[in-house]
């Protein structure tokens, strides 16, 4: 890799400035590893759990025990951790259908949800099977001008609508708002329960797992969901998603995932159990690698004149780093750099295209072992103003660092 000398010097300086933050990240990983380890001990995880089932998948001990392990780590009553979830979007959709009935209203508390969730809701269009298709209403409270939750407006809408459920998306996704930290999620949960006690609080936890010491279900969320090819899969889970929360809601989500009557009791694990366990065991550490890579990318971006969200010194509650590159050609070059710095498909050049579920053209760099896994170093950018790239993941900090150096190397060539 032909990294320019001045870029290497910038990276060295950036790392020195991040020393304390890196120590904090290691401490969080240590704490979260102890949570995971004690759940493994409590539920007596053993070799036999790694064997999978076929066919109907009844009595899959490994699968059922893993549900209990997830529930314990996230301090929830029950969990569904399944190969049958295609992705995070699918798990979130199953959770939303578990908590909403025709005629109900879903209220998003922090602006428009993530692009693929908009399709699930039926924000635009009315796809067969969307919430809208089943007569479920949707409303949202926009974020305030500083990019944070608009508490006054949330209070007003909660009192007026008394929605059956609220959606709180922890991570900013592809928007320019701030990611919610756990303390903010805690305040939002308290606010909802105070004004409208029967409203179910759902949290889209994608990208947030293990970035802090507490999770949304520990601070008042009734149910939350996420993707196994992000943080909790630890880079080893081959596919899947999870939902954790109140038992009654998880049972309903099981009916939606499989079929009423089968619920959580069916669904073959097809030999994936060991990878799910091992991935969950690795997840606090892997998340720490991704967090450090995000901080380093922000620090290098700031030193080379780009705006960052969040800033390199800001504490995180997700693994996403947004860098405002300002021009479509810079986005393409940056993504090319990430791709060519990856272990898999390093010879491919990513190009923008229209993906199912997304509103604008998107470019994605992902030279990953698991297709599309964004706990592995990857960069995505919707091709729209202000031309920001969203960077996330890294299975190891070393490879993450090399990947971002390669990306900045591409961009900085412009300016000389
Ligand atoms: C990734 C993501 C999703 C969807 O997850 P997929 O696994 O890509 O389907 C939903 N919400 C947020 C905030 C995400 O980051």
């Amino acid at each position: 890799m032909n990294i320019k000398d001045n870029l290497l010097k910038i990276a060295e300086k950036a790392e020195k400035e991040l020393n304390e933050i890196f120590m904090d990240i290691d401490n969080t990983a240590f704490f979260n590893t102890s949570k995971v380890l004690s759940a493994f001990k409590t539920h007596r995880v053993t070799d036999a759990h790694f064997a999978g089932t076929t066919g109907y998948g009844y009595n899959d001990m490994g699968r059922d025990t893993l549900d209990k392990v997830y529930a314990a780590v996230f301090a929830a009553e029950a969990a569904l951790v399944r190969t049958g979830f295609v992705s995070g979007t699918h798990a979130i959709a199953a959770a939303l259908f578990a908590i909403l009935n025709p005629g109900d209203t879903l209220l998003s508390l922090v602006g428009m949800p993530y692009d693929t969730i908009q399709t699930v809701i039926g924000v635009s269009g009315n796809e067969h099977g969307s919430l809208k298709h089943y007569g479920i209403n949707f409303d949202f409270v926009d974020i305030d001008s500083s990019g944070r939750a608009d508490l006054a407006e949330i209070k007003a809408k909660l009192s007026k609508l008394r929605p059956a459920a609220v959606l709180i998306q922890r991570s900013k996704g592809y928007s320019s708002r701030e990611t919610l930290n756990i303390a903010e999620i805690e305040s939002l949960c308290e606010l909802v329960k105070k004004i409208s006690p029967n409203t179910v609080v759902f949290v889209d936890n994608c990208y947030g797992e293990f970035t802090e010491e507490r999770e949304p279900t520990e601070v008042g969320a009734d149910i939350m969901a996420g993707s196994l090819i992000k943080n909790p899969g630890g880079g080893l889970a081959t596919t899947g998603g999870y939902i954790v929360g109140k038992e009654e809601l998880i049972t309903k989500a099981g009916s939606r995932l499989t079929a009423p009557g089968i619920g959580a009791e069916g669904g073959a694990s097809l030999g994936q159990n060991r990878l799910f366990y091992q991935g969950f065991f690795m997840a606090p550490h892997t998340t720490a690698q991704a967090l450090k890579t995000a901080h380093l990318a922000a620090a290098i971006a700031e030193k080379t004149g780009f705006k960052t969200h969040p800033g390199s010194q800001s504490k995180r509650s997700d693994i996403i780093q947004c860098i405002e590159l300002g021009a479509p050609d810079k986005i393409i070059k940056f993504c090319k750099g990430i791709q060519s710095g990856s272990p898999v498909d390093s010879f491919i050049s990513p190009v923008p295209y229209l993906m199912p579920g997304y509103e604008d053209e998107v470019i994605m760099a992902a030279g990953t072992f698991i297709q599309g896994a964004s706990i592995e170093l990857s960069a995505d950018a919707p091709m729209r103003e202000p031309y920001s790239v969203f960077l996330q993941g890294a299975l190891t900090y070393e490879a993450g660092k090399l990947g971002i150096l390669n990306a900045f190397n591409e961009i900085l060539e412009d300016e000389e």
Side-chain angles (χ1 to χ4, degrees):
M1 283 183 166
N2 231 335
I3 311 288
K4 291 189 201 79
D5 277 348
N6 65 334
L7 181 55
L8 287 171
K9 284 201 186 96
I10 289 171
E12 198 182 307
K13 201 155 169 253
E15 273 181 328
K16 283 210 178 94
E17 289 170 12
L18 290 168
N19 204 10
E20 253 176 62
I21 287 175
F22 282 13
M23 274 159 54
D24 277 350
I25 291 172
D26 287 340
N27 286 335
T28 303
F30 179 72
F31 181 88
N32 285 327
T33 297
S34 77
K35 265 184 173 175
V36 172
L37 261 182
S38 44
F40 274 51
K41 271 172 75 91
T42 304
H43 294 287
R44 303 172 64 91
V45 173
T46 180
D47 235 7
H49 290 141
F50 304 152
T53 49
T54 55
Y56 289 121
Y58 292 138
N59 304 314
D60 191 315
M61 271 169 51
R63 182 197 65 201
D64 295 345
T65 303
L66 185 64
D67 285 348
K68 291 186 183 130
V69 168
Y70 262 65
V73 167
F74 294 131
E77 290 172 11
L80 272 177
V81 187
R82 296 299 137 113
T83 52
F85 286 126
V86 172
S87 64
T89 303
H90 185 193
I92 291 164
L96 291 175
F97 275 103
I99 59 184
L100 292 157
N101 292 304
D104 283 350
T105 296
L106 172 68
L107 178 67
S108 168
L109 299 190
V110 277
M112 262 301 167
Y114 189 76
D115 292 53
T116 60
I117 307 309
Q118 291 185 28
T119 314
V120 169
I121 292 167
V123 171
S124 50
N126 189 9
E127 290 224 24
H128 183 94
S130 68
L131 294 177
K132 186 170 160 195
H133 177 89
Y134 285 104
I136 296 162
N137 308 303
F138 172 72
D139 202 348
F140 69 100
V141 179
D142 220 343
I143 47 162
D144 70 14
S145 54
S146 68
R148 299 194 174 274
D150 186 338
L151 297 179
E153 196 55 32
I154 289 173
K155 274 184 206 160
K157 280 230 164 131
L158 281 173
S159 314
K160 185 170 147 232
L161 298 174
R162 308 254 162 208
V166 294
L167 165 62
I168 300 175
Q169 183 183 303
R170 179 173 180 178
S171 167
K172 63 175 168 277
Y174 281 159
S175 76
S176 54
R177 74 163 168 91
E178 302 295 328
T179 287
L180 293 171
N181 62 38
I182 288 293
E184 288 168 323
I185 291 174
E186 185 167 33
S187 317
L188 286 175
C189 292
E190 279 166 9
L191 188 66
V192 173
K193 297 296 176 186
K194 199 173 105 195
I195 296 177
S196 181
N198 294 327
T199 297
V200 173
V201 176
F202 168 75
V203 175
D204 171 353
N205 202 32
C206 281
Y207 287 132
E209 299 88 355
F210 299 127
T211 57
E212 295 196 53
E213 291 188 353
R214 295 183 303 165
E215 299 288 341
T217 35
E218 292 175 73
V219 299
D222 297 301
I223 179 168
M224 70 181 186
S227 165
L228 294 194
I229 62 170
K230 295 180 181 174
N231 311 16
L236 292 177
T238 40
T239 187
Y242 77 91
I243 309 178
V244 301
K246 299 250 163 76
E247 181 139 32
E248 177 207 345
L249 303 176
I250 296 299
T251 303
K252 289 180 181 169
S255 294
R256 178 74 197 188
L257 165 63
T258 63
I262 299 174
E265 283 168 52
S269 57
L270 298 171
Q272 300 307 302
N273 282 342
R274 181 186 54 84
L275 290 169
F276 281 20
Y277 279 99
Q278 199 171 350
F280 200 48
F281 168 77
M282 291 297 296
H285 176 76
T286 310
T287 302
Q289 305 303 293
L291 280 172
K292 288 179 183 179
T293 302
H295 279 279
L296 182 69
I300 294 176
E302 287 160 13
K303 288 182 190 305
T304 51
F306 297 105
K307 273 204 235 163
T308 56
H309 310 273
S312 60
Q313 294 285 323
S314 311
K315 203 165 159 24
R316 309 298 168 109
S317 198
D318 70 10
I319 62 168
I320 301 187
Q321 180 60 51
C322 175
I323 303 171
E324 203 176 306
L325 295 174
D329 64 308
K330 284 215 169 76
I331 296 248
I332 294 169
K333 280 186 179 157
F334 190 91
C335 289
K336 247 172 122 171
I338 293 290
Q339 186 76 33
S340 77
S342 299
V344 182
D345 291 336
S346 58
F347 50 88
I348 283 172
S349 271
V351 289
Y353 75 115
L354 213 52
M355 294 236 324
Y358 291 86
E359 289 292 307
D360 294 280
E361 276 196 328
V362 180
I363 183 166
M364 296 190 165
T368 55
F369 291 96
I370 306 290
Q371 188 193 97
S374 43
I375 186 61
E376 300 184 47
L377 181 66
S378 49
D380 326 352
M383 298 304 283
R384 64 187 178 216
E385 294 281 354
Y387 295 103
S388 293
V389 70
F390 294 79
L391 180 83
Q392 66 272 316
L395 294 180
T396 71
Y397 173 68
E398 296 77 14
K401 179 178 167 183
L402 281 165
I404 55 180
L405 285 174
N406 211 48
F408 280 104
N409 215 35
E410 290 278 331
I411 300 227
L412 299 180
E413 239 146 37
D414 274 344
E415 284 165 2
E416 271 159 35

